[in-house]
Every structure is written in C-alpha cells, then in structure tokens.
Amino acid sequence: MAGEPYYLTTPIYYVNDVPHIGHAYTTLACDALARFMRLDGRDVFFLTGTDEHGQKVEQAAAAAGITPQALADKNSARFRDLARDMGYSNDDFIRTTADRHIRAVQQLWRELVKRGEIYLGKYSGWYSVRDEAFFAEKELIKGPNGKLLAPTGTGAEVEWVEEPSYFFRLSAWGDRLLKFYDDNPGFIAPESRRNEVISFVKGGLQDLSVSRTTFSWGVPVPDDPAHIMYVWIDALTNYLTATGYPDETSDGYRKYWPADLHMVGKDILRFHAVYWPAFLMGAGVAPPKRVFAHGWWTNEGQKISKSLGNVIDPYDLVAKYGRDQVRYFMLREVPFGNDGDFSHAAMVQRANGDLANGIGNLAQRTLTLIQKNCDAKVPAPDALNDSDKALLARAGMLIDELRGHMTAQEFHKALQAVLAVVSEADGYIDANAPWALRKTDSVRMATVLFVLAETIRNVALVMQPFTPEAAGKILDQLAIDEGARDFNQLGEARRLVPGTALPAPKGVFPRIDDPAKA
C-alpha cells in the first residue's frame, strides 16, 4: 500500500454561495481522509475548488453591475480562503473558468460527439435556475402558492424552457449503469443512497439536455459557440482536469485517474452517480471508484436557511470553540452519511467530555506525573505484566481498526475506537495508581508511566488527521521528531526511548466553561 496513489475530491462549490458549514463539512471530511492516507504512506492528491459558470452567476453579476468573471474572481477567493483558514490540506484548487479546465471539458465533449453520444435537438421542459437542473414533470412538487417546485429541498421554482439543445443519449445507458452498479457494489455509499440511485435508474432515463442558448456565461460548445455547455457536464469534468486531462499520458492522469473518491452532499448525488459515469464511459474514460453522499446539518433542530437567519458560519464556530474542537465534533457527532443536528450544548459536551476530560486529561496527568517523578524524562520500564502488555497491544493495533473505518468513510467509528483506547488507559491509570506507587514501588511506577506515555504516543499519532494541531502539541510534549510521526511509527518497533528529556506539559484541550457557549 505504501506509495499507492489516492485521489479524492470535494464537489466544487458554486460561487453564488457564501461559504457556510456545509462547505466546511465536506472539505473537512476529505481533509481528515487525505491526512490519514498520507500518514499511512499513500501518495495523496486532494482536490477542491469552485464552480463558476451558469445562469445564476450571469444574473447575479448583472444585478451587481459587474462582469461574471469579476463576480467569480471575488467569490472564488472566499472558498480558497476558507480552505486555508480552516487548515485544510488540499493539493490543488480548481476553477472552472481556468484555461486548463475549458480545454478539458471541450475535449470530453468532442469525444462524446465522436462516439455518437451527443446529438442536436430541441429541449422543452422544466428547469430550475437555482439548482441548474432539469426535472421531469412527475418529479415536481406543488408549492403552497400553486407554483411548481424542484424536488431538491431548495424550494426553487421551476420554469418552462423551450430552446435548441444538444442532448446526451442518457436513455441508452440505463442497463449499462445498472450492470456497473452490480459489478461495483462499493461505487455508491452509503447503502441507502445506493438504493435511491438504483431505483431512479430503474425508473427509466431520458436523454439529457447538455447545452443552453439563453445565456452566455459558460464553456462554448466546440464548433457551435451559440450553445453553452450544461453546467453539470462542465462542472463534473473538473475532476479530470486536475489530473492533466486531456493529456492522458501526463503523470497526473496516469497516476491518479480514476479517482478513488468523490465526496458530495446528498443533493447532488444523482449528477455524480448517474450522469457522470455515463459521460465518462460514453467517452471511453474509466469512471471513479466511489461516490459518497453525506447528509445535511440542521441548526438546533431547525432546517438551515437564509430566511430563518440561522446559517452557521464556520469562522464563528472556530472563533468560539477552536479549530480542532470543531473538526472533532463534526466528524464524531453523527454517523457520517446521515443528517445531523448542530447544537451548542452538544458541541460543548463533545469538547469537554471527549477532548478535555478524555484525551487531554489522560495526556496532562500522565506527563505531569512524569515531569514530577521521573526527572522530566521518559521513564525506563521494568518487566511488563499482562495488563501492561494488553494496553500497549491495544494501542499499537488501533491503526488496523482505523484503516477499515476510514476506507468506508466511517469517521465517527474511527473516533469511537480511539476514545475506547483512551477509556482503557483511564481504567489502567486508576487501577495502577502511579501517584501511590511513587512511595511504595518506584520501579513499578516508572513502568506504569512508560506504558501510559507510549499509549498516548499512539493515540496522538492516529489523532493527527482529526485534531492536527492538538495532536501535534502532544507529540511535541513527548519529544517526537517531526519526521517520526507517520503511521509507520506506531506500535512496538518505534516505542519511546527511556531517558529522553521531555518539556513541561501544557494542556491542549482547554475546557469550555462559559455557559453562554452552551
């Protein structure tokens, strides 16, 4: 596995939006996974970026009295800043207005035309500007005012559109897609989303309109610039663009495509799990290996919306609770893939219970005991008894459990496994009481503190993808060199060296005692 490529992507975020908790959540999940895979020796390529074309951008720019490009430049920068300010470790940031992307999507289009997958016709049907999506009449929802709405949960009104259009022969791909899903059962996750997609495809597919003539802000169709490519064939191609496509001999393309994981919100799963693999296979390109659709957040039990004024600003959360605490809460609070509710009380409970009283307290009291009773040096262990060996083995083998959970995007289970080891260590320290052994058996005290310090080292190493700043501070307090922090260092072979001088310990997860924050 060492050195094996791993390519994962966020969806590209639409520049008409303001960065909010949903954007931060998706990118955070990818960041934790990217960090984990890097520490596990994989050659990771982590992509995020912005989707900058479409009718909404053109309309918003006109309303603001600026060009669509100026609006895209301004708003794209907000998402680039979000990735930087949240400490995300993406390797590339792509924009669909970039020349490299326009070349890629036009080449994909040409390939589809060459293979007979695209034809010119006329489109008549229902279109949602907000969702940039077409819908069959049977899918629409009648609103309280009698107007027809998109079925996406956005509440967007649809309008009847008639115009010349190029079409992708999606209707011919139903059986082939179903066979692809059967042959690749892990392609769509979680299982409930997979079932939704299969049901949709079994319901019958219609040819998909893939160009528009009623606006101009987008990628022109090759050889017919009166047509602008449908935003989804444009946007989805970004995942290919970043690898170097259309140069299929490039190092990036040969190394990273097909992508290992597209992480998306559940509202855009259809585009990624139905249209995208059909586009790719229609052009003779391998589809991605996996698409994972996560759920949405509510705020204190209420749906998040601008009209309610309860949009969650990730910057506010970090300022209030800390970056690592927010990272931990969002990955631990709900099973990844499900909808989740954000509450300040739950945030405080996780920050105090799991982090301050759990990992932080174990590290603080162990290292303080070492500082006071072992000359501020890693203690030298004597012969290990069964309880010593059991805890060390449990901590050293933690990575095996985490690999399975992270591959399945079960972040909450990975963190549960880490906290289980911390709980075992808490039981061990209470049972052995090294503060009492100081007076009766200093040799045994040193052994117990060594076992605890070594357990903390293993816990801190595997917590780096989730709470990178705090985990790094714990490793600093254990005098672990920067170059000795990957997962090859886990277990018995790389244990702490007795006699190593340790700095004075400091708490890394302060308790949140301000009741206003709850």
Side-chain angles (χ1 to χ4, degrees):
M1 181 179 290
E4 183 181 347
Y6 190 86
Y7 177 28
L8 76 163
T9 70
T10 72
I12 49 173
Y13 302 122
Y14 203 54
V15 291
N16 250 25
D17 292 331
V18 174
H20 55 66
I21 197 68
H23 305 117
Y25 184 50
T26 313
T27 314
L28 166 59
C30 288
D31 180 66
L33 193 52
R35 289 173 183 270
F36 184 92
M37 294 297 179
R38 290 191 194 102
L39 290 165
D40 210 21
R42 302 288 294 272
D43 178 0
V44 172
F45 183 36
F46 167 23
L47 176 70
T48 189
T50 44
D51 176 8
E52 304 180 18
H53 289 134
Q55 192 171 2
K56 281 190 294 185
V57 174
E58 187 174 78
Q59 291 175 349
I66 59 176
T67 66
Q69 185 66 62
L71 180 67
D73 290 346
K74 175 184 175 182
N75 291 349
S76 176
R78 293 176 177 173
F79 289 93
R80 190 185 293 271
D81 291 345
L82 178 72
R84 181 199 65 214
D85 297 341
M86 294 295 145
Y88 300 144
S89 61
N90 52 293
D91 299 289
D92 195 0
F93 187 97
I94 194 162
R95 299 182 58 185
T96 56
T97 52
D99 289 343
R100 61 171 173 162
H101 177 69
I102 293 170
R103 287 194 300 271
V105 71
Q106 288 187 326
Q107 180 57 36
L108 185 69
W109 181 284
R110 291 188 185 96
E111 195 63 38
L112 289 168
V113 169
K114 184 174 74 174
R115 293 168 179 260
E117 297 288 348
I118 288 179
Y119 64 92
L120 182 62
K122 180 181 179 181
Y123 179 77
S124 299
W126 295 102
Y127 184 73
S128 163
V129 174
R130 187 187 302 180
D131 296 298
E132 298 282 10
F134 299 97
F135 298 99
E137 188 162 353
K138 63 182 180 181
E139 296 180 272
L140 301 178
I141 298 169
K142 185 168 288 188
N145 57 2
K147 293 187 176 181
L148 295 176
L149 307 178
T152 56
T154 62
E157 293 184 7
V158 296
E159 59 186 38
W160 185 259
V161 174
E162 293 188 16
E163 60 181 307
S165 177
Y166 285 94
F167 286 82
F168 174 73
R169 298 184 190 277
L170 187 64
S171 61
W173 280 90
D175 290 342
R176 284 179 280 184
L177 284 170
L178 291 172
K179 183 178 186 306
F180 174 71
Y181 303 150
D182 285 343
D183 292 343
N184 300 274
F187 174 67
I188 304 169
E191 186 70 17
S192 60
R193 306 293 175 212
R194 183 176 186 273
N195 295 337
E196 289 174 11
V197 169
I198 290 174
S199 177
F200 173 75
V201 174
K202 285 183 175 178
L205 299 175
Q206 297 180 335
D207 287 355
L208 182 67
S209 172
V210 289
S211 75
R212 302 291 306 277
T213 58
T214 53
F215 64 93
S216 60
W217 182 240
V219 178
V221 168
D223 305 317
D224 195 352
H227 286 258
I228 296 299
M229 288 188 203
Y230 174 47
V231 68
W232 278 104
I233 197 169
D234 169 5
L236 289 163
T237 305
N238 89 88
Y239 306 128
L240 273 178
T241 302
T243 68
Y245 182 89
D247 181 3
E248 297 184 13
T249 66
S250 67
D251 289 343
Y253 184 84
R254 288 188 293 109
K255 183 187 294 186
Y256 295 118
W257 195 262
D260 292 88
L261 176 68
H262 292 328
M263 187 78 78
V264 302
K266 65 181 183 180
D267 54 322
I268 56 173
L269 175 60
R270 180 189 304 179
F271 305 105
H272 286 81
V274 180
Y275 302 166
W276 183 225
F279 291 157
L280 290 169
M281 291 189 284
V285 177
K289 298 174 186 177
R290 184 172 174 85
V291 177
F292 192 105
H294 64 72
W296 293 335
W297 285 90
T298 53
N299 186 353
E300 305 286 355
Q302 286 189 310
K303 180 180 177 180
I304 294 174
S305 72
K306 292 179 182 177
S307 60
L308 291 175
N310 66 345
V311 174
I312 301 174
D313 186 330
Y315 288 99
D316 290 345
L317 289 185
V318 169
K320 184 175 288 188
Y321 300 116
R323 192 156 62 182
D324 276 354
Q325 286 84 346
V326 171
R327 288 176 67 99
Y328 180 86
F329 174 82
M330 298 191 73
L331 295 175
R332 174 66 183 88
E333 181 66 8
V334 296
F336 195 71
N338 293 1
D339 291 341
D341 182 53
F342 178 86
S343 79
H344 290 279
M347 175 76 228
V348 171
Q349 185 177 13
R350 288 288 180 198
N352 285 343
D354 293 3
L355 298 180
N357 297 342
I359 298 170
N361 185 54
L362 177 67
Q364 178 77 0
R365 63 174 175 163
T366 297
L367 294 173
T368 298
L369 284 167
I370 291 173
Q371 189 80 13
K372 291 180 178 179
N373 301 300
C374 303
D375 297 324
K377 296 177 181 178
V378 174
D382 195 24
L384 303 176
N385 66 25
D386 288 345
S387 67
D388 303 333
K389 293 175 182 177
L391 182 56
L392 289 171
R394 181 77 174 86
M397 293 188 297
L398 187 56
I399 185 60
D400 297 328
E401 190 173 354
L402 264 57
R403 284 190 181 110
H405 292 319
M406 296 300 282
T407 300
Q409 289 78 61
E410 296 171 337
F411 303 108
H412 63 294
K413 290 185 179 180
L415 289 167
Q416 285 173 353
V418 176
L419 265 291
V421 171
V422 173
S423 180
E424 289 183 32
D426 282 334
Y428 173 90
I429 193 173
D430 290 339
N432 286 276
W435 50 88
L437 288 170
R438 178 176 62 87
K439 299 177 181 179
T440 61
D441 191 343
S442 61
V443 174
R444 177 63 189 158
M445 177 201 69
T447 302
V448 169
L449 291 176
F450 176 86
V451 169
L452 287 165
E454 178 60 18
T455 300
I456 293 164
R457 183 184 74 88
N458 282 270
V459 166
L461 286 171
V462 299
M463 282 298 292
Q464 290 177 101
F466 309 104
T467 57
E469 294 173 47
K473 290 177 181 178
I474 293 173
L475 293 169
D476 289 343
Q477 294 178 43
L478 289 168
I480 305 299
D481 291 340
E482 290 283 349
R485 298 187 179 187
D486 61 40
F487 293 162
N488 283 331
Q489 309 300 316
L490 290 162
E492 183 175 359
R494 300 289 192 274
R495 282 182 178 167
L496 292 166
V497 178
T500 302
L502 301 180
K506 296 180 180 179
V508 297
F509 291 117
R511 279 187 56 82
I512 299 171
D513 294 321
D514 181 359
K517 291 182 177 179

